[in-house]
Amino acid sequence: MKQNILKDKSFDFVVRIVNLHKYLKKQHGEYVLSQQLVRSGTSVGATTREAEHAESLKDFIHKLSIGLKEANESKYWLDLLFATGFITKKMFDSINRDCEELLKLLTASIKTSKQRIK
């Protein structure tokens, strides 16, 4: 069975986002920013999973494009949480690296799929 790196990485990212959300609520009593992050972060995994059963190549691209937008929004919330001192540099660097990797994987998958349409 072929390994789906994007599926695995997006799921692992979502698990980290959910755990970060729980940490922010428990340690900092922070609900607003962490809730925004959990919404966009979990959407990355959900849309990537949805793309597996897309109705067409265009639908596949559309779903991955939504995932890309959500990953980019997640990066914004991570940047903001770091800039406001809710997460340490070490925490930020670790999860941000995963987010950047997802952004690259999603972008590459979308580009490759668009080339297949042509």
Side-chain angles (χ1 to χ4, degrees):
M1 186 171 188
K2 187 178 175 183
Q3 182 184 11
N4 186 331
I5 294 170
L6 182 55
K7 178 181 171 182
D8 294 344
K9 296 236 182 227
S10 64
F11 186 80
D12 292 344
F13 179 71
V14 171
V15 169
R16 293 193 71 193
I17 291 294
V18 170
N19 287 331
L20 178 57
H21 172 66
K22 291 190 303 189
Y23 163 81
L24 290 167
K25 283 177 28 182
K26 184 177 181 179
Q27 297 299 319
H28 296 284
E30 201 303 303
Y31 297 95
V32 177
L33 300 177
S34 63
Q35 189 62 39
Q36 293 291 336
L37 175 63
V38 86
R39 285 183 182 144
S40 62
T42 55
S43 183
V44 175
T47 55
T48 300
R49 186 66 64 95
E50 271 187 67
E52 282 186 297
H53 298 285
E55 296 174 9
S56 65
L57 188 54
K58 285 185 178 183
D59 187 39
F60 177 79
I61 292 166
H62 176 70
K63 288 182 183 351
L64 287 187
S65 296
I66 293 170
L68 179 63
K69 289 177 185 181
E70 296 294 341
N72 191 50
E73 181 181 339
S74 296
K75 181 164 178 16
Y76 170 79
W77 295 118
L78 290 169
D79 290 343
L80 187 57
L81 286 164
F82 175 63
T84 55
F86 281 106
I87 58 176
T88 65
K89 178 160 177 42
K90 182 178 179 182
M91 292 168 70
F92 172 77
D93 288 345
S94 177
I95 200 164
N96 188 58
R97 187 172 29 256
D98 289 350
C99 190
E100 291 283 348
E101 187 174 2
L102 268 177
L103 287 166
K104 289 175 185 176
L105 285 168
L106 286 162
T107 300
S109 295
I110 292 166
K111 282 183 181 180
T112 299
S113 297
K114 284 181 176 180
Q115 289 172 348
R116 288 184 183 152
I117 289 179
K118 293 179 183 180

